Amino acid sequence: DTEVTQTPKHLVMGMTNKKSLKCEQHMGHRAMYWYKQKAKKPPELMFVYSYEKLSINESVPSRFSPECPNSSLLNLHLHALQPEDSALYLCASSLGDRDFQPQHFGDGTRLSIL
Amino acid sequence: AQTVTQSQPEMSVQEAETVTLSCTYDTSESDYYLFWYKQPPSRQMILVIRQEAYKQQNATENRFSVNFQKAAKSFSLKISDSQLGDAAMYFCAYRSGLSNSGYALNFGKGTSLLVTP
């Protein structure tokens, strides 16, 4: 069982829809991450939240809007997406310090844009 | 920026045999961590093994071990006694020890490992 829970597992949406991806962890981690992964490619960093504050935005288009309501929850709000945004979206969490602890990943949300 | 290179897009190994996946990285930092993650078709990223840069001793986790050559900036993964369940995409990842990195992972392109009976 994964300790990072992502919902939904699959999402199909039109280009004019608004939807949200959700990520939850209860490990007391203070850093949370969104990665985008295209088929047969490595994950690419989108956003980093550290202690509930956005610390890194890797020049992600504004049609992706992250939100961290509390230390356990991370959302990714989607609006007016393009077909090239179809991908697997992975959430991860870590202690958020420079220690040795690894990131823990969720199972991802597979997003398809029609 | 740090780069991680996995030069083997695909590898194949027979069950019970040993295989080595290569990874090199480029960095000017002295404080960093290296990881191998496995991603089976079920798509969850699973930590295989990790290494702190300041530790000279190579990490070992059961059938998995690394050959960490800091001067050469090389971090290869050895899988012994390969099992069918080892079939997956393997990603080498670098994590900076600097706080302005957000401690995010920088991944190589991955190596797809096929295990044959």
Side-chain angles (χ1 to χ4, degrees), chain A residues 37 90 105, chain B residues 21 35-49 63-64 77 79 83-93 107 111 113 115:
Chain A
Q37 186 178 24
L90 291 166
F105 284 83
Chain B
L21 309 183
F35 302 84
W36 279 98
Y37 279 86
K38 163 186 175 181
Q39 188 177 37
S42 64
R43 78 199 191 192
Q44 188 190 3
M45 295 286 282
I46 302 166
L47 177 69
V48 175
I49 200 165
R63 298 183 294 107
F64 299 88
L77 175 69
I79 306 174
Q83 301 175 359
L84 293 176
D86 294 334
M89 182 72 85
Y90 285 79
F91 291 103
C92 178
F107 291 92
T111 296
L113 179 65
V115 181

PDB file of all heavy atoms in Angstrom, chain A residues 37 90 105, chain B residues 21 35-49 63-64 77 79 83-93 107 111 113 115:
ATOM      1  N   GLN A  37       4.869  13.144 -15.927  1.00  0.00           N
ATOM      2  CA  GLN A  37       5.613  12.088 -16.604  1.00  0.00           C
ATOM      3  C   GLN A  37       4.905  11.683 -17.889  1.00  0.00           C
ATOM      4  O   GLN A  37       3.794  11.159 -17.847  1.00  0.00           O
ATOM      5  CB  GLN A  37       5.799  10.870 -15.690  1.00  0.00           C
ATOM      6  CG  GLN A  37       6.703   9.800 -16.303  1.00  0.00           C
ATOM      7  CD  GLN A  37       6.923   8.609 -15.392  1.00  0.00           C
ATOM      8  OE1 GLN A  37       6.124   8.311 -14.515  1.00  0.00           O
ATOM      9  NE2 GLN A  37       8.027   7.904 -15.594  1.00  0.00           N
ATOM     10  N   LEU A  90       2.421  12.675 -11.027  1.00  0.00           N
ATOM     11  CA  LEU A  90       2.876  12.019  -9.806  1.00  0.00           C
ATOM     12  C   LEU A  90       3.035  13.041  -8.694  1.00  0.00           C
ATOM     13  O   LEU A  90       3.604  14.111  -8.893  1.00  0.00           O
ATOM     14  CB  LEU A  90       4.223  11.330 -10.040  1.00  0.00           C
ATOM     15  CG  LEU A  90       4.214  10.109 -10.957  1.00  0.00           C
ATOM     16  CD1 LEU A  90       5.634   9.755 -11.372  1.00  0.00           C
ATOM     17  CD2 LEU A  90       3.555   8.926 -10.285  1.00  0.00           C
ATOM     18  N   PHE A 105       6.414   8.293  -3.344  1.00  0.00           N
ATOM     19  CA  PHE A 105       5.548   8.642  -4.462  1.00  0.00           C
ATOM     20  C   PHE A 105       4.168   8.001  -4.320  1.00  0.00           C
ATOM     21  O   PHE A 105       4.031   6.894  -3.798  1.00  0.00           O
ATOM     22  CB  PHE A 105       6.163   8.175  -5.779  1.00  0.00           C
ATOM     23  CG  PHE A 105       7.293   9.035  -6.252  1.00  0.00           C
ATOM     24  CD1 PHE A 105       8.576   8.846  -5.766  1.00  0.00           C
ATOM     25  CD2 PHE A 105       7.079  10.036  -7.187  1.00  0.00           C
ATOM     26  CE1 PHE A 105       9.628   9.640  -6.190  1.00  0.00           C
ATOM     27  CE2 PHE A 105       8.125  10.827  -7.624  1.00  0.00           C
ATOM     28  CZ  PHE A 105       9.398  10.633  -7.126  1.00  0.00           C
TER      29      PHE A 105
ATOM     30  N   LEU B  21      23.226  -1.859 -14.225  1.00  0.00           N
ATOM     31  CA  LEU B  21      22.694  -0.691 -14.918  1.00  0.00           C
ATOM     32  C   LEU B  21      23.603   0.501 -14.624  1.00  0.00           C
ATOM     33  O   LEU B  21      23.935   0.757 -13.464  1.00  0.00           O
ATOM     34  CB  LEU B  21      21.262  -0.393 -14.448  1.00  0.00           C
ATOM     35  CG  LEU B  21      20.264  -1.557 -14.462  1.00  0.00           C
ATOM     36  CD1 LEU B  21      18.879  -1.077 -14.052  1.00  0.00           C
ATOM     37  CD2 LEU B  21      20.233  -2.245 -15.799  1.00  0.00           C
ATOM     38  N   PHE B  35      19.979   8.159  -5.859  1.00  0.00           N
ATOM     39  CA  PHE B  35      18.938   7.151  -5.648  1.00  0.00           C
ATOM     40  C   PHE B  35      18.735   6.337  -6.924  1.00  0.00           C
ATOM     41  O   PHE B  35      18.943   6.829  -8.041  1.00  0.00           O
ATOM     42  CB  PHE B  35      17.594   7.822  -5.308  1.00  0.00           C
ATOM     43  CG  PHE B  35      17.618   8.707  -4.091  1.00  0.00           C
ATOM     44  CD1 PHE B  35      18.035  10.024  -4.181  1.00  0.00           C
ATOM     45  CD2 PHE B  35      17.208   8.221  -2.856  1.00  0.00           C
ATOM     46  CE1 PHE B  35      18.059  10.852  -3.066  1.00  0.00           C
ATOM     47  CE2 PHE B  35      17.226   9.047  -1.730  1.00  0.00           C
ATOM     48  CZ  PHE B  35      17.653  10.355  -1.841  1.00  0.00           C
ATOM     49  N   TRP B  36      18.307   5.114  -6.737  1.00  0.00           N
ATOM     50  CA  TRP B  36      17.734   4.328  -7.818  1.00  0.00           C
ATOM     51  C   TRP B  36      16.276   4.055  -7.461  1.00  0.00           C
ATOM     52  O   TRP B  36      15.969   3.575  -6.371  1.00  0.00           O
ATOM     53  CB  TRP B  36      18.472   2.997  -7.994  1.00  0.00           C
ATOM     54  CG  TRP B  36      19.739   3.105  -8.784  1.00  0.00           C
ATOM     55  CD1 TRP B  36      21.011   3.203  -8.307  1.00  0.00           C
ATOM     56  CD2 TRP B  36      19.852   3.095 -10.216  1.00  0.00           C
ATOM     57  NE1 TRP B  36      21.913   3.274  -9.347  1.00  0.00           N
ATOM     58  CE2 TRP B  36      21.230   3.200 -10.527  1.00  0.00           C
ATOM     59  CE3 TRP B  36      18.930   2.996 -11.261  1.00  0.00           C
ATOM     60  CZ2 TRP B  36      21.709   3.226 -11.838  1.00  0.00           C
ATOM     61  CZ3 TRP B  36      19.405   3.013 -12.560  1.00  0.00           C
ATOM     62  CH2 TRP B  36      20.782   3.125 -12.834  1.00  0.00           C
ATOM     63  N   TYR B  37      15.403   4.389  -8.417  1.00  0.00           N
ATOM     64  CA  TYR B  37      13.984   4.094  -8.288  1.00  0.00           C
ATOM     65  C   TYR B  37      13.581   3.116  -9.379  1.00  0.00           C
ATOM     66  O   TYR B  37      14.130   3.120 -10.483  1.00  0.00           O
ATOM     67  CB  TYR B  37      13.131   5.358  -8.424  1.00  0.00           C
ATOM     68  CG  TYR B  37      13.027   6.199  -7.176  1.00  0.00           C
ATOM     69  CD1 TYR B  37      13.982   7.163  -6.882  1.00  0.00           C
ATOM     70  CD2 TYR B  37      11.953   6.047  -6.296  1.00  0.00           C
ATOM     71  CE1 TYR B  37      13.885   7.953  -5.736  1.00  0.00           C
ATOM     72  CE2 TYR B  37      11.845   6.834  -5.152  1.00  0.00           C
ATOM     73  CZ  TYR B  37      12.809   7.778  -4.888  1.00  0.00           C
ATOM     74  OH  TYR B  37      12.702   8.561  -3.754  1.00  0.00           O
ATOM     75  N   LYS B  38      12.594   2.318  -9.060  1.00  0.00           N
ATOM     76  CA  LYS B  38      12.050   1.333  -9.987  1.00  0.00           C
ATOM     77  C   LYS B  38      10.602   1.709 -10.263  1.00  0.00           C
ATOM     78  O   LYS B  38       9.869   2.068  -9.337  1.00  0.00           O
ATOM     79  CB  LYS B  38      12.148  -0.041  -9.312  1.00  0.00           C
ATOM     80  CG  LYS B  38      11.307  -1.144  -9.881  1.00  0.00           C
ATOM     81  CD  LYS B  38      11.437  -2.377  -8.982  1.00  0.00           C
ATOM     82  CE  LYS B  38      10.514  -3.490  -9.432  1.00  0.00           C
ATOM     83  NZ  LYS B  38      10.624  -4.677  -8.546  1.00  0.00           N
ATOM     84  N   GLN B  39      10.201   1.636 -11.532  1.00  0.00           N
ATOM     85  CA  GLN B  39       8.816   1.921 -11.880  1.00  0.00           C
ATOM     86  C   GLN B  39       8.277   0.791 -12.746  1.00  0.00           C
ATOM     87  O   GLN B  39       8.501   0.735 -13.947  1.00  0.00           O
ATOM     88  CB  GLN B  39       8.685   3.261 -12.612  1.00  0.00           C
ATOM     89  CG  GLN B  39       7.241   3.691 -12.818  1.00  0.00           C
ATOM     90  CD  GLN B  39       7.121   5.053 -13.488  1.00  0.00           C
ATOM     91  OE1 GLN B  39       7.907   5.404 -14.365  1.00  0.00           O
ATOM     92  NE2 GLN B  39       6.140   5.852 -13.056  1.00  0.00           N
ATOM     93  N   PRO B  40       7.540  -0.134 -12.134  1.00  0.00           N
ATOM     94  CA  PRO B  40       6.929  -1.214 -12.926  1.00  0.00           C
ATOM     95  C   PRO B  40       5.746  -0.673 -13.715  1.00  0.00           C
ATOM     96  O   PRO B  40       5.365   0.487 -13.550  1.00  0.00           O
ATOM     97  CB  PRO B  40       6.478  -2.219 -11.848  1.00  0.00           C
ATOM     98  CG  PRO B  40       6.382  -1.433 -10.593  1.00  0.00           C
ATOM     99  CD  PRO B  40       7.305  -0.261 -10.711  1.00  0.00           C
ATOM    100  N   PRO B  41       5.151  -1.508 -14.573  1.00  0.00           N
ATOM    101  CA  PRO B  41       3.987  -1.049 -15.341  1.00  0.00           C
ATOM    102  C   PRO B  41       2.851  -0.529 -14.468  1.00  0.00           C
ATOM    103  O   PRO B  41       2.038   0.268 -14.933  1.00  0.00           O
ATOM    104  CB  PRO B  41       3.571  -2.297 -16.127  1.00  0.00           C
ATOM    105  CG  PRO B  41       4.838  -3.063 -16.272  1.00  0.00           C
ATOM    106  CD  PRO B  41       5.602  -2.827 -14.988  1.00  0.00           C
ATOM    107  N   SER B  42       2.802  -0.966 -13.232  1.00  0.00           N
ATOM    108  CA  SER B  42       1.777  -0.448 -12.317  1.00  0.00           C
ATOM    109  C   SER B  42       1.987   1.024 -12.020  1.00  0.00           C
ATOM    110  O   SER B  42       1.143   1.659 -11.400  1.00  0.00           O
ATOM    111  CB  SER B  42       1.793  -1.239 -11.009  1.00  0.00           C
ATOM    112  OG  SER B  42       3.022  -1.059 -10.337  1.00  0.00           O
ATOM    113  N   ARG B  43       3.133   1.550 -12.410  1.00  0.00           N
ATOM    114  CA  ARG B  43       3.503   2.968 -12.470  1.00  0.00           C
ATOM    115  C   ARG B  43       3.948   3.609 -11.160  1.00  0.00           C
ATOM    116  O   ARG B  43       4.394   4.741 -11.168  1.00  0.00           O
ATOM    117  CB  ARG B  43       2.405   3.813 -13.128  1.00  0.00           C
ATOM    118  CG  ARG B  43       1.210   4.133 -12.237  1.00  0.00           C
ATOM    119  CD  ARG B  43       0.022   4.536 -13.066  1.00  0.00           C
ATOM    120  NE  ARG B  43      -1.036   5.077 -12.230  1.00  0.00           N
ATOM    121  CZ  ARG B  43      -2.272   5.294 -12.669  1.00  0.00           C
ATOM    122  NH1 ARG B  43      -2.587   5.016 -13.906  1.00  0.00           N
ATOM    123  NH2 ARG B  43      -3.186   5.773 -11.851  1.00  0.00           N
ATOM    124  N   GLN B  44       3.831   2.921 -10.021  1.00  0.00           N
ATOM    125  CA  GLN B  44       4.317   3.541  -8.800  1.00  0.00           C
ATOM    126  C   GLN B  44       5.835   3.567  -8.774  1.00  0.00           C
ATOM    127  O   GLN B  44       6.490   2.572  -9.097  1.00  0.00           O
ATOM    128  CB  GLN B  44       3.791   2.788  -7.570  1.00  0.00           C
ATOM    129  CG  GLN B  44       4.100   3.514  -6.273  1.00  0.00           C
ATOM    130  CD  GLN B  44       3.815   2.685  -5.047  1.00  0.00           C
ATOM    131  OE1 GLN B  44       3.429   1.530  -5.146  1.00  0.00           O
ATOM    132  NE2 GLN B  44       4.011   3.259  -3.875  1.00  0.00           N
ATOM    133  N   MET B  45       6.415   4.665  -8.381  1.00  0.00           N
ATOM    134  CA  MET B  45       7.867   4.799  -8.236  1.00  0.00           C
ATOM    135  C   MET B  45       8.261   4.210  -6.887  1.00  0.00           C
ATOM    136  O   MET B  45       7.787   4.650  -5.840  1.00  0.00           O
ATOM    137  CB  MET B  45       8.272   6.266  -8.282  1.00  0.00           C
ATOM    138  CG  MET B  45       8.003   6.950  -9.604  1.00  0.00           C
ATOM    139  SD  MET B  45       9.157   6.461 -10.874  1.00  0.00           S
ATOM    140  CE  MET B  45      10.559   7.435 -10.407  1.00  0.00           C
ATOM    141  N   ILE B  46       9.140   3.223  -6.938  1.00  0.00           N
ATOM    142  CA  ILE B  46       9.539   2.510  -5.733  1.00  0.00           C
ATOM    143  C   ILE B  46      11.026   2.701  -5.512  1.00  0.00           C
ATOM    144  O   ILE B  46      11.834   2.468  -6.417  1.00  0.00           O
ATOM    145  CB  ILE B  46       9.228   1.001  -5.875  1.00  0.00           C
ATOM    146  CG1 ILE B  46       7.736   0.791  -6.144  1.00  0.00           C
ATOM    147  CG2 ILE B  46       9.662   0.237  -4.627  1.00  0.00           C
ATOM    148  CD1 ILE B  46       7.387  -0.598  -6.635  1.00  0.00           C
ATOM    149  N   LEU B  47      11.400   3.118  -4.314  1.00  0.00           N
ATOM    150  CA  LEU B  47      12.812   3.289  -4.003  1.00  0.00           C
ATOM    151  C   LEU B  47      13.504   1.935  -3.962  1.00  0.00           C
ATOM    152  O   LEU B  47      13.037   1.009  -3.305  1.00  0.00           O
ATOM    153  CB  LEU B  47      12.974   3.979  -2.659  1.00  0.00           C
ATOM    154  CG  LEU B  47      14.413   4.152  -2.177  1.00  0.00           C
ATOM    155  CD1 LEU B  47      15.143   5.167  -3.041  1.00  0.00           C
ATOM    156  CD2 LEU B  47      14.453   4.543  -0.710  1.00  0.00           C
ATOM    157  N   VAL B  48      14.622   1.830  -4.661  1.00  0.00           N
ATOM    158  CA  VAL B  48      15.411   0.601  -4.660  1.00  0.00           C
ATOM    159  C   VAL B  48      16.574   0.722  -3.697  1.00  0.00           C
ATOM    160  O   VAL B  48      16.793  -0.144  -2.832  1.00  0.00           O
ATOM    161  CB  VAL B  48      15.933   0.291  -6.088  1.00  0.00           C
ATOM    162  CG1 VAL B  48      16.857  -0.928  -6.063  1.00  0.00           C
ATOM    163  CG2 VAL B  48      14.776   0.068  -7.059  1.00  0.00           C
ATOM    164  N   ILE B  49      17.325   1.815  -3.801  1.00  0.00           N
ATOM    165  CA  ILE B  49      18.530   1.969  -3.009  1.00  0.00           C
ATOM    166  C   ILE B  49      18.964   3.423  -3.038  1.00  0.00           C
ATOM    167  O   ILE B  49      18.613   4.157  -3.972  1.00  0.00           O
ATOM    168  CB  ILE B  49      19.645   1.027  -3.543  1.00  0.00           C
ATOM    169  CG1 ILE B  49      20.726   0.768  -2.496  1.00  0.00           C
ATOM    170  CG2 ILE B  49      20.206   1.543  -4.858  1.00  0.00           C
ATOM    171  CD1 ILE B  49      21.614  -0.416  -2.843  1.00  0.00           C
ATOM    172  N   ARG B  63      19.407  -7.993  -2.693  1.00  0.00           N
ATOM    173  CA  ARG B  63      20.006  -8.370  -3.980  1.00  0.00           C
ATOM    174  C   ARG B  63      20.518  -7.165  -4.778  1.00  0.00           C
ATOM    175  O   ARG B  63      21.085  -7.320  -5.862  1.00  0.00           O
ATOM    176  CB  ARG B  63      18.972  -9.126  -4.827  1.00  0.00           C
ATOM    177  CG  ARG B  63      18.486 -10.431  -4.216  1.00  0.00           C
ATOM    178  CD  ARG B  63      17.513 -11.158  -5.137  1.00  0.00           C
ATOM    179  NE  ARG B  63      16.267 -10.414  -5.321  1.00  0.00           N
ATOM    180  CZ  ARG B  63      15.932  -9.779  -6.440  1.00  0.00           C
ATOM    181  NH1 ARG B  63      16.739  -9.790  -7.490  1.00  0.00           N
ATOM    182  NH2 ARG B  63      14.778  -9.137  -6.529  1.00  0.00           N
ATOM    183  N   PHE B  64      20.279  -5.985  -4.258  1.00  0.00           N
ATOM    184  CA  PHE B  64      20.641  -4.763  -4.974  1.00  0.00           C
ATOM    185  C   PHE B  64      21.863  -4.115  -4.314  1.00  0.00           C
ATOM    186  O   PHE B  64      21.912  -3.979  -3.098  1.00  0.00           O
ATOM    187  CB  PHE B  64      19.471  -3.779  -4.959  1.00  0.00           C
ATOM    188  CG  PHE B  64      18.230  -4.305  -5.619  1.00  0.00           C
ATOM    189  CD1 PHE B  64      17.289  -5.038  -4.903  1.00  0.00           C
ATOM    190  CD2 PHE B  64      17.996  -4.082  -6.962  1.00  0.00           C
ATOM    191  CE1 PHE B  64      16.139  -5.528  -5.514  1.00  0.00           C
ATOM    192  CE2 PHE B  64      16.845  -4.560  -7.584  1.00  0.00           C
ATOM    193  CZ  PHE B  64      15.924  -5.284  -6.861  1.00  0.00           C
ATOM    194  N   LEU B  77      24.041   0.386 -10.681  1.00  0.00           N
ATOM    195  CA  LEU B  77      23.201  -0.512  -9.879  1.00  0.00           C
ATOM    196  C   LEU B  77      23.421  -1.946 -10.329  1.00  0.00           C
ATOM    197  O   LEU B  77      23.290  -2.244 -11.517  1.00  0.00           O
ATOM    198  CB  LEU B  77      21.716  -0.149 -10.047  1.00  0.00           C
ATOM    199  CG  LEU B  77      20.713  -1.086  -9.364  1.00  0.00           C
ATOM    200  CD1 LEU B  77      20.788  -0.967  -7.842  1.00  0.00           C
ATOM    201  CD2 LEU B  77      19.294  -0.786  -9.848  1.00  0.00           C
ATOM    202  N   ILE B  79      22.060  -5.792  -9.889  1.00  0.00           N
ATOM    203  CA  ILE B  79      20.969  -6.645  -9.417  1.00  0.00           C
ATOM    204  C   ILE B  79      21.449  -8.082  -9.535  1.00  0.00           C
ATOM    205  O   ILE B  79      21.759  -8.572 -10.628  1.00  0.00           O
ATOM    206  CB  ILE B  79      19.682  -6.441 -10.251  1.00  0.00           C
ATOM    207  CG1 ILE B  79      19.292  -4.969 -10.294  1.00  0.00           C
ATOM    208  CG2 ILE B  79      18.547  -7.284  -9.672  1.00  0.00           C
ATOM    209  CD1 ILE B  79      18.112  -4.665 -11.217  1.00  0.00           C
ATOM    210  N   GLN B  83      15.064 -11.633 -10.674  1.00  0.00           N
ATOM    211  CA  GLN B  83      13.756 -12.285 -10.613  1.00  0.00           C
ATOM    212  C   GLN B  83      12.802 -11.628 -11.599  1.00  0.00           C
ATOM    213  O   GLN B  83      12.994 -10.470 -11.976  1.00  0.00           O
ATOM    214  CB  GLN B  83      13.211 -12.183  -9.183  1.00  0.00           C
ATOM    215  CG  GLN B  83      14.120 -12.827  -8.154  1.00  0.00           C
ATOM    216  CD  GLN B  83      13.644 -12.616  -6.728  1.00  0.00           C
ATOM    217  OE1 GLN B  83      12.632 -11.972  -6.467  1.00  0.00           O
ATOM    218  NE2 GLN B  83      14.391 -13.172  -5.789  1.00  0.00           N
ATOM    219  N   LEU B  84      11.771 -12.376 -11.977  1.00  0.00           N
ATOM    220  CA  LEU B  84      10.809 -11.840 -12.951  1.00  0.00           C
ATOM    221  C   LEU B  84      10.203 -10.523 -12.458  1.00  0.00           C
ATOM    222  O   LEU B  84       9.914  -9.620 -13.249  1.00  0.00           O
ATOM    223  CB  LEU B  84       9.711 -12.858 -13.227  1.00  0.00           C
ATOM    224  CG  LEU B  84      10.151 -14.132 -13.958  1.00  0.00           C
ATOM    225  CD1 LEU B  84       8.982 -15.111 -14.083  1.00  0.00           C
ATOM    226  CD2 LEU B  84      10.724 -13.816 -15.333  1.00  0.00           C
ATOM    227  N   GLY B  85      10.031 -10.417 -11.162  1.00  0.00           N
ATOM    228  CA  GLY B  85       9.448  -9.207 -10.593  1.00  0.00           C
ATOM    229  C   GLY B  85      10.361  -7.995 -10.654  1.00  0.00           C
ATOM    230  O   GLY B  85       9.934  -6.878 -10.355  1.00  0.00           O
ATOM    231  N   ASP B  86      11.609  -8.203 -11.069  1.00  0.00           N
ATOM    232  CA  ASP B  86      12.525  -7.068 -11.208  1.00  0.00           C
ATOM    233  C   ASP B  86      12.311  -6.321 -12.523  1.00  0.00           C
ATOM    234  O   ASP B  86      12.857  -5.231 -12.716  1.00  0.00           O
ATOM    235  CB  ASP B  86      13.982  -7.547 -11.157  1.00  0.00           C
ATOM    236  CG  ASP B  86      14.372  -8.119  -9.801  1.00  0.00           C
ATOM    237  OD1 ASP B  86      13.756  -7.719  -8.787  1.00  0.00           O
ATOM    238  OD2 ASP B  86      15.283  -8.974  -9.752  1.00  0.00           O
ATOM    239  N   ALA B  87      11.534  -6.892 -13.414  1.00  0.00           N
ATOM    240  CA  ALA B  87      11.278  -6.238 -14.701  1.00  0.00           C
ATOM    241  C   ALA B  87      10.560  -4.917 -14.460  1.00  0.00           C
ATOM    242  O   ALA B  87       9.500  -4.868 -13.821  1.00  0.00           O
ATOM    243  CB  ALA B  87      10.442  -7.143 -15.592  1.00  0.00           C
ATOM    244  N   ALA B  88      11.143  -3.848 -14.958  1.00  0.00           N
ATOM    245  CA  ALA B  88      10.606  -2.509 -14.716  1.00  0.00           C
ATOM    246  C   ALA B  88      11.495  -1.495 -15.413  1.00  0.00           C
ATOM    247  O   ALA B  88      12.540  -1.826 -15.971  1.00  0.00           O
ATOM    248  CB  ALA B  88      10.570  -2.198 -13.223  1.00  0.00           C
ATOM    249  N   MET B  89      11.069  -0.234 -15.342  1.00  0.00           N
ATOM    250  CA  MET B  89      11.919   0.881 -15.735  1.00  0.00           C
ATOM    251  C   MET B  89      12.684   1.310 -14.490  1.00  0.00           C
ATOM    252  O   MET B  89      12.089   1.485 -13.426  1.00  0.00           O
ATOM    253  CB  MET B  89      11.073   2.026 -16.268  1.00  0.00           C
ATOM    254  CG  MET B  89      11.884   3.220 -16.743  1.00  0.00           C
ATOM    255  SD  MET B  89      12.756   2.892 -18.274  1.00  0.00           S
ATOM    256  CE  MET B  89      11.477   3.261 -19.453  1.00  0.00           C
ATOM    257  N   TYR B  90      14.000   1.457 -14.633  1.00  0.00           N
ATOM    258  CA  TYR B  90      14.832   1.887 -13.521  1.00  0.00           C
ATOM    259  C   TYR B  90      15.362   3.289 -13.794  1.00  0.00           C
ATOM    260  O   TYR B  90      15.963   3.554 -14.834  1.00  0.00           O
ATOM    261  CB  TYR B  90      15.998   0.908 -13.322  1.00  0.00           C
ATOM    262  CG  TYR B  90      15.567  -0.388 -12.684  1.00  0.00           C
ATOM    263  CD1 TYR B  90      14.952  -1.382 -13.447  1.00  0.00           C
ATOM    264  CD2 TYR B  90      15.723  -0.601 -11.315  1.00  0.00           C
ATOM    265  CE1 TYR B  90      14.520  -2.561 -12.861  1.00  0.00           C
ATOM    266  CE2 TYR B  90      15.295  -1.784 -10.726  1.00  0.00           C
ATOM    267  CZ  TYR B  90      14.689  -2.750 -11.513  1.00  0.00           C
ATOM    268  OH  TYR B  90      14.257  -3.916 -10.925  1.00  0.00           O
ATOM    269  N   PHE B  91      15.137   4.161 -12.817  1.00  0.00           N
ATOM    270  CA  PHE B  91      15.589   5.537 -12.939  1.00  0.00           C
ATOM    271  C   PHE B  91      16.668   5.822 -11.898  1.00  0.00           C
ATOM    272  O   PHE B  91      16.496   5.533 -10.708  1.00  0.00           O
ATOM    273  CB  PHE B  91      14.435   6.516 -12.712  1.00  0.00           C
ATOM    274  CG  PHE B  91      13.407   6.523 -13.793  1.00  0.00           C
ATOM    275  CD1 PHE B  91      12.184   5.876 -13.617  1.00  0.00           C
ATOM    276  CD2 PHE B  91      13.636   7.184 -14.992  1.00  0.00           C
ATOM    277  CE1 PHE B  91      11.219   5.886 -14.612  1.00  0.00           C
ATOM    278  CE2 PHE B  91      12.670   7.197 -15.993  1.00  0.00           C
ATOM    279  CZ  PHE B  91      11.470   6.548 -15.800  1.00  0.00           C
ATOM    280  N   CYS B  92      17.740   6.420 -12.366  1.00  0.00           N
ATOM    281  CA  CYS B  92      18.760   6.953 -11.478  1.00  0.00           C
ATOM    282  C   CYS B  92      18.374   8.402 -11.187  1.00  0.00           C
ATOM    283  O   CYS B  92      17.905   9.124 -12.088  1.00  0.00           O
ATOM    284  CB  CYS B  92      20.109   6.879 -12.192  1.00  0.00           C
ATOM    285  SG  CYS B  92      21.510   7.542 -11.290  1.00  0.00           S
ATOM    286  N   ALA B  93      18.538   8.840  -9.956  1.00  0.00           N
ATOM    287  CA  ALA B  93      18.114  10.193  -9.601  1.00  0.00           C
ATOM    288  C   ALA B  93      19.131  10.859  -8.689  1.00  0.00           C
ATOM    289  O   ALA B  93      19.734  10.223  -7.819  1.00  0.00           O
ATOM    290  CB  ALA B  93      16.741  10.164  -8.923  1.00  0.00           C
ATOM    291  N   PHE B 107      15.983  13.265 -12.529  1.00  0.00           N
ATOM    292  CA  PHE B 107      16.044  11.881 -13.005  1.00  0.00           C
ATOM    293  C   PHE B 107      16.831  11.735 -14.293  1.00  0.00           C
ATOM    294  O   PHE B 107      16.827  12.629 -15.152  1.00  0.00           O
ATOM    295  CB  PHE B 107      14.630  11.352 -13.275  1.00  0.00           C
ATOM    296  CG  PHE B 107      13.784  11.150 -12.047  1.00  0.00           C
ATOM    297  CD1 PHE B 107      12.956  12.154 -11.575  1.00  0.00           C
ATOM    298  CD2 PHE B 107      13.799   9.922 -11.372  1.00  0.00           C
ATOM    299  CE1 PHE B 107      12.167  11.966 -10.450  1.00  0.00           C
ATOM    300  CE2 PHE B 107      13.013   9.723 -10.252  1.00  0.00           C
ATOM    301  CZ  PHE B 107      12.198  10.750  -9.785  1.00  0.00           C
ATOM    302  N   THR B 111      16.285   3.177 -17.666  1.00  0.00           N
ATOM    303  CA  THR B 111      16.675   1.947 -18.349  1.00  0.00           C
ATOM    304  C   THR B 111      15.558   0.938 -18.160  1.00  0.00           C
ATOM    305  O   THR B 111      15.163   0.659 -17.025  1.00  0.00           O
ATOM    306  CB  THR B 111      17.977   1.366 -17.776  1.00  0.00           C
ATOM    307  OG1 THR B 111      19.048   2.272 -17.997  1.00  0.00           O
ATOM    308  CG2 THR B 111      18.298   0.018 -18.415  1.00  0.00           C
ATOM    309  N   LEU B 113      14.358  -2.637 -17.975  1.00  0.00           N
ATOM    310  CA  LEU B 113      14.946  -3.947 -17.719  1.00  0.00           C
ATOM    311  C   LEU B 113      13.942  -5.042 -18.018  1.00  0.00           C
ATOM    312  O   LEU B 113      12.835  -5.064 -17.461  1.00  0.00           O
ATOM    313  CB  LEU B 113      15.405  -4.056 -16.265  1.00  0.00           C
ATOM    314  CG  LEU B 113      16.025  -5.395 -15.883  1.00  0.00           C
ATOM    315  CD1 LEU B 113      17.328  -5.619 -16.645  1.00  0.00           C
ATOM    316  CD2 LEU B 113      16.270  -5.494 -14.382  1.00  0.00           C
ATOM    317  N   VAL B 115      13.394  -9.141 -17.889  1.00  0.00           N
ATOM    318  CA  VAL B 115      13.886 -10.358 -17.253  1.00  0.00           C
ATOM    319  C   VAL B 115      13.252 -11.556 -17.945  1.00  0.00           C
ATOM    320  O   VAL B 115      12.017 -11.674 -17.991  1.00  0.00           O
ATOM    321  CB  VAL B 115      13.561 -10.381 -15.745  1.00  0.00           C
ATOM    322  CG1 VAL B 115      14.116 -11.653 -15.100  1.00  0.00           C
ATOM    323  CG2 VAL B 115      14.122  -9.149 -15.063  1.00  0.00           C
TER     324      VAL B 115
END
